[in-house]
Amino acid sequence: MDLNFNKNEDHNKLLLTDLRQKLAKVKLGGGEKRIQKLHSEGKMTARERIDYLLDAKGKSIEIGAFVGEGMYAEHGGCPSGGVIVKIGYIKGKQCIVVANDATVKAGAWFPITAKKNLRAQEIAMENRLPIIYLVDSAGVYLPLQDEIFPDKEHFGRIFRNNALMSSMGITQIAAVMGSCVAGGAYLPIMSDEALIVDKTGSIFLAGSYLVKAAIGENIDNETLGGATTHCEISGVTDYKAKDDKDALDKIKNIVDKIGDYDKAGYSRIKPVKPALEEKDIYGILPKARNEPYDMMEIIRRLVDNSEFDAYKEGYGQTIITGYARIDGWAVGIVANQRKVVKTKTGEMQFGGVIYSDSADKATRFIANCNQKKIPLVFLQDVTGFMVGSKSEQGGIIKDGAKMVNAVSNSVVPKFTIIVGNSYGAGNYAMCGKAYDPRLIMAWPSAELAVMGGTQAAKVLAQIEASSLKSKGEIVDEAKEKELFDKIKARYDEQTSPYYSASRLWTDAIIDPLDTRTWISMGIEAANHSPIEKKFNLGVIQV
């Protein structure tokens, strides 16, 4: 171990400590007082409900824990988007669970809440996973109704997805464990089976106050839409539960009876841990995002028995391609090589940059994985495609387009881990969010942006300085530095992995040592959904 390794290790462990502290804060939702209020009403919190529902010894992963982070400050914030989403196991069956957090604005839907719910449904639909809704929501957050109500990816899309999933044969179970108001009332009733908790659960299109205002009728909420009304009079719900735990136990029993699923047939053998020490990742990954390192050293600490079968090892060396296993599952890995490499012609190529030969290699490898039905794993640490006259004359745009085409048309499941940089078109070619990875995760070291903060700040500072000079203002060296520092700080905030996670550009920020679990559970989920399309690149420039 050298001094640089130790410095890297200290830095990355500090990032991990910060991640854990932020997660601990997020898990409090609306705060201790609101949690106590829920408990006093005889209700469990959203996280307690999920923990009780999922198998105690089963693994689970949380989608979008940092959604809403730093957003809606003028409205008091929206921790985790006011909804908790986890993939885990119920009676040994893999499911996705969506639970409204009533400690956050009574579970009201912010714009980001709708986006997160739609992401949960997207995961269920792509992977044909049973989905469980634990409903406890006051409905749309009215001060922001114009950002959540009418558009294609807004609130109404939820019910459209309910209908599509039903037609696809994807099991949907809903438990009304608190408020279920207005348009939100359709979600549980469009599910296959609906439960309601006596005295605390209620479903109605309009509450007692609105009913009084609209038609002059005097009625209380329990009579209007409580468990007895909907289980014994309207027939809207299928089961009455005496409390939260009873409702969750009923869900467990329903899931227990679900039959087996048709499998996609991805290859899996007995899992083996990496032969090399996984924790070394903290020391290998450099503190500075512009420092080179050997990505193969990271890969060997992620794959089973540290075994990797390289594809075209000596060609296109700024992208690593090859076959391995992760937790027993066969995978094809596409990774950016961050060390400087030397070609056979003696040319030096910068690490983290995609050249024509590396794009060509990746395209062919992606096609091979599709032919062999092998899931793809992308490890991103990319600054973009190579620029300059030599690259342009060599057809970098054409070769880059071929790679983007292959990623876009890939029919095997894709999983993306942002290890470090994720800049510009490199994000696209390496299967960024726009290219439908089944799951996309970031390590605490990740940065997402059109370009690096320093380069972007220099460009923007020059533009602003020119603008000020044109107005007759004096811009000396000190003023230029002030402009640069101000812009750099703003840009750095936007490249943070937390900024991305808050907007659901990534599904999670994870400890690098949890990467194997995320990929394994992701492929297991994908195995629920047999491939129905053939891989076809369409028309490409060869």
Side-chain angles (χ1 to χ4, degrees), residues 33 88 203 271 328 469:
K33 288 185 178 179
I203 310 171
K469 288 175 183 177

Side-chain angles (χ1 to χ4, degrees), residues 364-380:
R364 295 187 62 178
F365 180 71
I366 290 166
N368 281 342
C369 287
N370 274 271
Q371 186 161 343
K372 296 181 179 74
K373 203 159 73 172
I374 300 173
L376 285 159
V377 173
F378 292 83
L379 299 176
Q380 284 195 13

Side-chain angles (χ1 to χ4, degrees), residues 393-541:
Q393 292 166 12
I396 186 67
I397 295 175
K398 178 179 66 177
D399 291 318
K402 286 192 292 185
M403 184 176 174
V404 170
N405 192 316
V407 172
S408 302
N409 285 298
S410 180
V411 296
V412 295
K414 300 167 290 193
F415 302 89
T416 302
I417 299 94
I418 304 173
V419 172
N421 301 328
S422 182
Y423 295 158
N427 169 281
Y428 301 159
M430 291 295 294
C431 197
K433 183 65 181 287
Y435 293 82
D436 297 323
R438 295 294 176 97
L439 294 171
I440 178 168
M441 301 79 76
W443 287 1
S445 49
E447 291 185 0
L448 281 78
V450 170
M451 64 177 72
T454 300
Q455 299 95 310
K458 282 180 180 177
V459 172
L460 292 171
Q462 286 171 5
I463 293 170
E464 193 162 337
S466 296
S467 176
L468 291 173
K469 288 175 183 177
S470 69
K471 295 174 183 176
E473 294 189 34
I474 297 173
V475 181
D476 55 15
E477 189 175 323
K479 182 64 176 178
E480 286 181 348
K481 185 179 184 306
E482 180 190 334
L483 288 172
F484 173 82
D485 291 344
K486 182 181 176 182
I487 294 169
K488 177 76 162 51
R490 185 176 73 242
Y491 204 88
D492 285 347
E493 179 188 351
Q494 293 176 357
T495 62
S496 160
Y498 295 97
Y499 191 91
S500 302
S502 71
R503 287 150 180 81
L504 209 54
W505 300 342
T506 59
D507 291 316
I509 304 171
I510 64 170
D511 182 340
L513 301 190
D514 290 334
T515 304
R516 284 169 53 83
T517 297
W518 275 77
I519 293 172
S520 178
M521 288 188 67
I523 298 176
E524 182 182 351
N527 205 35
H528 286 73
S529 182
I531 296 172
E532 297 175 348
K533 296 191 300 182
K534 287 187 177 181
F535 178 64
N536 187 342
L537 281 178
V539 178
I540 59 172
Q541 296 284 341

Side-chain angles (χ1 to χ4, degrees), residues 69-379:
E69 177 85 358
M71 300 171 69
Y72 310 116
E74 67 277 23
H75 298 278
C78 188
S80 286
V83 63
I84 315 303
V85 176
K86 283 192 178 184
I87 300 174
Y89 301 87
I90 301 172
K91 295 290 186 177
K93 292 182 173 66
Q94 195 177 41
C95 302
I96 184 164
V97 185
V98 181
N100 299 116
D101 186 350
T103 69
V104 180
K105 291 289 190 296
W109 289 56
F110 282 66
I112 201 68
T113 314
K115 185 174 183 178
K116 186 171 176 179
N117 275 269
L118 289 169
R119 176 62 179 142
Q121 290 185 320
E122 179 184 39
I123 291 170
M125 293 166 78
E126 284 181 331
N127 301 290
R128 295 181 180 270
L129 278 184
I131 184 167
I132 317 298
Y133 307 101
L134 306 180
V135 184
D136 193 347
S137 172
V140 168
Y141 184 64
L142 292 178
L144 297 174
Q145 65 84 28
D146 62 320
E147 297 179 40
I148 189 175
F149 171 63
D151 210 347
K152 181 178 179 179
E153 299 298 330
H154 284 177
F155 191 70
R157 189 80 168 183
I158 304 287
F159 316 129
R160 174 262 193 190
N161 287 349
N162 287 140
L164 286 186
M165 281 190 278
S166 183
S167 71
M168 294 168 68
I170 298 170
T171 298
Q172 299 177 83
I173 302 167
V176 180
M177 310 179 82
S179 297
C180 185
V181 184
Y186 289 106
L187 184 146
I189 313 313
M190 294 188 75
S191 300
D192 301 334
E193 295 182 87
L195 306 85
I196 186 168
V197 178
D198 195 21
K199 300 297 185 287
T200 57
S202 59
I203 310 171
F204 35 66
L205 296 180
S208 56
Y209 291 122
L210 187 54
V211 167
K212 173 68 174 175
I215 63 172
E217 181 182 4
N218 285 303
I219 190 167
D220 63 272
N221 282 338
E222 182 64 25
T223 306
L224 182 65
T228 299
T229 295
H230 287 310
C231 286
E232 300 177 19
I233 301 173
S234 72
V236 164
T237 50
D238 306 308
Y239 307 92
K240 183 197 286 189
K242 65 177 184 291
D243 56 26
D244 280 7
K245 287 187 177 180
D246 186 38
L248 298 170
D249 285 335
K250 290 180 188 297
I251 293 173
K252 291 180 184 182
N253 292 334
I254 294 169
V255 172
D256 189 41
K257 310 299 188 300
I258 298 174
D260 203 0
Y261 56 90
D262 296 332
K263 296 175 177 62
Y266 303 119
S267 171
R268 193 183 196 190
I269 61 175
K270 185 178 179 181
V272 180
K273 289 186 176 181
L276 298 177
E277 177 55 63
E278 295 174 68
K279 292 180 181 178
D280 286 350
I281 289 173
Y282 301 135
I284 296 166
L285 195 63
K287 179 179 178 179
R289 290 274 32 89
N290 59 351
E291 287 183 23
Y293 64 96
D294 188 353
M295 180 63 87
M296 272 308 309
E297 294 302 317
I298 300 287
I299 292 172
R300 291 191 182 101
R301 287 159 177 82
L302 292 176
V303 301
D304 289 14
N305 206 34
S306 300
E307 294 177 349
F308 182 79
D309 300 317
Y311 172 82
K312 288 185 176 291
E313 186 174 14
Y315 176 70
Q317 295 178 66
T318 62
I319 286 185
I320 296 169
T321 52
Y323 305 103
R325 289 189 181 271
I326 292 179
D327 200 36
W329 294 102
V331 296
I333 294 176
V334 181
N336 301 114
Q337 176 58 284
R338 280 304 310 269
K339 68 178 184 180
V340 177
V341 298
K342 188 176 183 179
T343 67
K344 283 188 175 180
T345 62
E347 179 190 3
M348 303 302 292
Q349 293 187 341
F350 298 105
V353 179
I354 302 175
Y355 290 77
S356 284
D357 54 358
S358 49
D360 174 64
K361 177 173 80 169
T363 301
R364 295 187 62 178
F365 180 71
I366 290 166
N368 281 342
C369 287
N370 274 271
Q371 186 161 343
K372 296 181 179 74
K373 203 159 73 172
I374 300 173
L376 285 159
V377 173
F378 292 83
L379 299 176

